[in-house]
Amino acid sequence: MINRERLFATFMELCSIDSEPTRERQMADNVRERLEKLGFSVSEDGVGDMIGGNAGNLVARLDGSEAGAPLLFSCHLDRVVPGVGVKPRIEGDFIVSDGTTVLGADDAAGLAALLEGVATLRERGIPHPPLEIVLSVAEELALVGSRHFDSGQLTARSGFVLDAAGKVGEIVIQAPEQQKFKAVFHGRSAHAGFDPEQGASAIQMAGVAISRMQLLRIDPETTANIGSISASGPTNIVPERCELLGEVRSLDPEKVRIQLDALTGTMESAAAEYGGSVEIAVMPCYPSYKLAEDTEPARRAARAALRIGVPVLFRPSGGGSDANIFNSRGLQTVVLCCGYEQAHTSGERIPLEQLELLTEWVVAIVSEGSDKNR
Ligand SMILES: [Zn+2]
């Protein structure tokens, strides 16, 4: 039913557009023009200016060709670094990059499937309810674009975010809360050779603290990581400052609290033992969500998956997406897995078949009668 050649061409063109976080201008303009050609009215918010970017979030609306509750679809316009100068090509059954950059299937697969899906609906005269599309910026910077998005302008009450690795047919109904933290250890400088007894090493405090931390996989639903440690100086001075950046995630918000308390306690005691102190700032990134399998978007996505002949799997995710933000604002939203593999690496790729299935899934979700009609 879909036009596969056009789908692959759109996908590869989108991949080849430079679109690292806060630098989505070209991508926003390209996608906007495509949406307008499909009949959408498109607006851009002012979030670009607020976050130091060169493009805002796009909101596109298309009237329904039949009555029905409006549906929200959402993707993000940016991609992780290195995402400039992407050269996508077909290799066997896959689309890949040249290995020096990511491919950007995360999230161009979602964008291309949405665009081709809507084109198919229009060309085939398939009835559809009103559609709202939100295309966010800087999603890869801990959802900063959607966090600043005014979701009060949306009328949809069910949403589908096309933004997860995994096979088409897999539906994410649960995702973790994430909190980041920054810890600055303060020691005391002294000459490292003459009188180190007068000093207190901030690097030593941080090192001891890290060695005592429980990190990485804490339990099946909780993780913690230190992503950065920075301090620099000459070897003949006891270092007075060392900074750590880390994060904690859990599907259970209470466990985020417990883990952060444990990390904080560990850092404070290590700092005190070695004669210094530590300043810790916790930065909430996004809240968790958990939807039941019988919520409207989950059921609708599942029925549509069965219709296109792929197995349905409801599952949690270890990562956040714009669905965390929509759900926190009362808009029930699931994440559709897009079929791409090894996202966020230069080995990122997508099977041609998965890209086609993703598009068919979009068409099936939109043209699926809502629960009310059954
Ligand atoms: Zn993504």
Side-chain angles (χ1 to χ4, degrees):
M1 183 171 22
I2 64 172
N3 182 334
R4 5 178 6 241
E5 300 316 317
R6 185 175 57 190
L7 169 65
F8 299 153
T10 301
F11 173 77
M12 297 216 279
E13 184 181 327
L14 295 178
C15 289
S16 67
I17 298 172
D18 297 346
S19 195
E20 288 183 345
T22 72
R23 289 292 168 270
E24 302 93 349
R25 183 75 267 153
Q26 249 186 296
M27 182 70 95
D29 291 344
N30 184 295
V31 175
R32 179 178 189 144
E33 196 182 320
R34 290 170 180 276
L35 286 166
E36 284 173 345
K37 275 190 190 142
L38 289 168
F40 283 84
S41 58
V42 185
S43 61
E44 181 174 332
D45 68 16
V47 166
D49 288 340
M50 293 166 64
I51 64 172
N54 65 3
N57 301 301
L58 297 182
V59 184
R61 292 195 166 75
L62 184 67
D63 290 339
S65 60
E66 66 173 1
L71 298 177
L72 168 74
F73 287 86
S74 181
C75 300
H76 59 87
L77 294 166
D78 60 322
R79 68 176 68 118
V80 293
V81 176
V84 164
V86 176
K87 294 180 189 64
R89 62 186 159 88
I90 296 176
E91 192 175 275
D93 298 331
F94 296 88
I95 302 177
V96 299
S97 77
D98 67 2
T100 64
T101 66
V102 297
L103 173 62
D106 174 8
D107 204 14
L111 292 166
L114 257 186
L115 291 163
E116 180 58 31
V118 175
T120 303
L121 292 166
R122 308 275 289 173
E123 286 164 5
R124 307 251 159 185
I126 300 170
H128 62 84
L131 300 178
E132 293 179 324
I133 293 181
V134 174
L135 304 178
S136 65
V137 290
E139 190 271 352
E140 298 289 5
L141 300 181
L143 317 182
V144 72
S146 65
R147 276 193 273 156
H148 288 88
F149 176 68
D150 170 18
S151 33
Q153 59 187 300
L154 300 175
T155 56
R157 284 292 152 259
S158 285
F160 307 87
V161 169
L162 289 84
D163 185 21
K167 291 246 180 325
V168 170
E170 294 179 19
I171 303 164
V172 174
I173 54 173
Q174 189 181 11
E177 168 177 328
Q178 187 190 153
Q179 307 240 10
K180 293 191 190 222
F181 63 87
K182 174 177 163 179
V184 181
F185 288 85
H186 297 285
R188 198 167 48 254
S189 63
H191 193 291
F194 298 155
D195 51 2
E197 297 80 2
Q198 302 305 311
S201 166
I203 290 180
Q204 191 174 22
M205 293 167 206
V208 167
I210 291 171
S211 73
R212 292 174 182 168
M213 287 176 184
Q214 201 189 353
L215 292 172
L216 306 184
R217 172 66 61 192
I218 308 299
D219 67 39
E221 44 187 21
T222 312
T223 59
N225 187 44
I226 301 290
S228 160
I229 171 167
S230 51
S232 74
T235 60
N236 62 355
I237 298 178
V238 175
E240 62 179 355
R241 189 178 195 278
C242 183
E243 182 182 302
L244 300 185
L245 297 175
E247 63 160 54
V248 176
R249 305 179 190 214
S250 182
L251 296 172
D252 179 349
E254 185 51 27
K255 289 182 176 172
V256 175
R257 241 63 66 204
I258 291 170
Q259 192 60 24
L260 280 172
D261 285 350
L263 291 173
T264 301
T266 301
M267 290 188 280
E268 285 172 347
S269 61
E273 273 174 54
Y274 286 80
S277 62
V278 60
E279 255 178 290
I280 301 166
V282 174
M283 297 154 276
C285 290
Y286 47 79
S288 62
Y289 67 88
K290 183 177 184 176
L291 296 175
E293 292 176 13
D294 65 354
T295 49
E296 164 63 14
R299 292 174 57 168
R300 191 172 183 120
R303 286 195 306 263
L306 293 174
R307 246 172 78 202
I308 64 165
V310 296
V312 171
L313 176 68
F314 292 110
R315 65 172 182 84
S317 166
S321 74
D322 289 337
N324 289 61
I325 302 301
F326 293 129
N327 278 306
S328 74
R329 295 174 184 172
L331 203 168
Q332 286 190 327
T333 304
V334 296
V335 181
L336 307 179
C337 291
C338 296
Y340 50 74
E341 301 166 4
Q342 299 173 54
H344 296 199
T345 75
S346 53
E348 184 185 12
R349 62 181 195 169
I350 186 166
L352 295 167
E353 187 208 15
Q354 287 287 305
L355 187 53
E356 277 183 78
L357 282 171
L358 181 63
T359 308
E360 287 175 22
W361 200 11
V362 169
V363 173
I365 289 170
V366 174
S367 57
E368 174 76 31
S370 74
D371 278 359
K372 270 196 202 131
N373 299 336
R374 309 205 142 227

